[in-house]
Amino acid sequence: MNTSTFTEYTVVDESSVAKIDDAAPPEKVCLIGCGFSTGYGAAVKTGKVKPGSTCVVFGLGGVGLSVIMGCKSAGASRIIGIDLNKDKFEKAMAVGATECISPKDSTKPISEVLSEMTGNNVGYTFEVIGHLETMIDALASCHMNYGTSVVVGVPPSAKMLTYDPMLLFTGRTWKGCVFGGLKSRDDVPKLVTEFLAKKFDLDQLITHVLPFKKISEGFELLNSGQSIRTVLTF
C-alpha cells in the first residue's frame, strides 16, 4: 500500500502487506491490487447493491467494467453501461451489462433518458470517470427518493463542485469510495480466494500481456484506449 516499485525485494511495514493464497496466479490476481477491487467493491461494499435492482455505470474502462462485475455478482437484474466510446460496449456486455448507451445519442439530459428507459427505477449509479459534470449527472440519474450514487472516479484536484441541493433533499444518498470501501489486509485475501473459486473472471479485464521492457508500449495502449489492463511479465 502506497508503495509502487519495480524492485525484486521491497522492505515495507507489516501493515502494508496482505498475504494471499499460494495457489493464486500472480499474473491474474495482480489486478486485485487496485483497479478490480475498487470497482467490484464499489458495487458490493460501498453501494450495497441489492438483488433485482437496476444499476447504471458511467465510464466503461477497467474500473467501470469491474463495477459491472460487482453489480452482477450482487444480483442486479438490469445493468446499463454509459460511455461516449461505443467500442467499449461489447466488452461491457461480455462482463455483465444488459445494455449500453451513449449520451451522444440523445439531446435530452442523460438522467431523463435513463428515467424513461427504466420507468424511473434506477436504484444505483456509479461515476467511474472522475468528471465533475458526470458526478452530478450520476446523482441526478438515481431515484430521487431511494437512489444511491457512488463516486468512484478520482475527481480533479483543487476543483469545487456546484450542484442543486434538491438532488439530495428528496432522499438520494451520495457516497464516495476509495479502494471499493474494502479493508485491504482483510479483503484482498478474500477476493483472491473468491477468484480461485471462480466467483468472477479476471481474464475479461486483461487485454494484453507484455514483457517488462515494453512497459512504455503498455502505457501507450492504455492512453489510446486500446487496452483495458496490460500485465507486465518479468
Side-chain angles (χ1 to χ4, degrees):
M1 185 181 70
N2 292 337
T3 305
S4 186
T5 74
F6 296 118
T7 60
E8 293 163 292
Y9 299 95
T10 307
V11 178
V12 294
D13 191 274
E14 182 188 359
S15 63
S16 298
V17 178
K19 182 171 171 55
I20 62 171
D21 193 315
D22 287 347
E27 70 278 9
K28 309 283 189 191
V29 298
C30 55
L31 270 66
I32 293 174
C34 184
F36 171 76
S37 307
T38 298
Y40 190 82
V44 301
K45 190 81 179 272
T46 304
K48 295 182 171 59
V49 170
K50 293 179 180 176
S53 58
T54 296
C55 300
V56 177
V57 181
F58 289 75
L60 302 177
V63 181
L65 295 176
S66 301
V67 173
I68 290 173
M69 293 166 74
C71 291
K72 182 180 179 181
S73 176
S77 60
R78 194 171 183 186
I79 305 169
I80 302 170
I82 299 178
D83 205 293
L84 295 172
N85 183 357
K86 293 185 177 182
D87 293 341
K88 296 183 177 182
F89 291 179
E90 184 179 351
K91 178 65 78 170
M93 299 286 281
V95 300
T98 54
E99 59 220 284
C100 293
I101 60 173
S102 168
K104 288 181 179 176
D105 290 342
S106 176
T107 55
K108 295 179 181 178
I110 193 66
S111 56
E112 283 185 29
V113 174
L114 291 165
S115 180
E116 291 171 5
M117 282 177 65
T118 64
N120 191 29
N121 192 36
V122 176
Y124 306 88
T125 61
F126 300 86
E127 201 281 355
V128 204
I129 304 167
H131 289 172
L132 300 183
E133 298 82 9
T134 41
M135 289 175 189
I136 297 169
D137 286 341
L139 179 64
S141 297
C142 67
H143 193 279
M144 65 184 293
N145 301 128
Y146 58 76
T148 295
S149 186
V150 182
V151 176
V152 187
V154 179
S157 60
K159 295 285 186 180
M160 300 298 287
L161 187 63
T162 303
Y163 67 98
D164 181 353
M166 286 300 290
L167 289 172
L168 288 179
F169 178 75
T170 55
R172 293 179 178 90
T173 299
W174 208 3
K175 290 183 163 186
C177 75
V178 174
F179 198 59
L182 302 171
K183 187 176 181 182
S184 55
R185 286 202 73 188
D186 294 341
D187 292 320
V188 166
K190 289 176 185 175
L191 284 174
V192 169
T193 300
E194 289 177 8
F195 166 75
L196 292 172
K198 294 183 167 53
K199 189 172 180 182
F200 48 80
D201 180 15
L202 294 174
D203 284 335
Q204 300 269 25
L205 302 174
I206 301 170
T207 51
H208 299 78
V209 177
L210 297 174
F212 183 77
K213 64 183 178 182
K214 292 189 176 181
I215 183 171
S216 296
E217 185 179 323
F219 277 112
E220 287 168 14
L221 288 167
L222 187 65
N223 291 330
S224 63
Q226 296 178 65
S227 75
I228 297 171
R229 286 293 181 271
T230 296
V231 173
L232 300 173
T233 56
F234 292 85

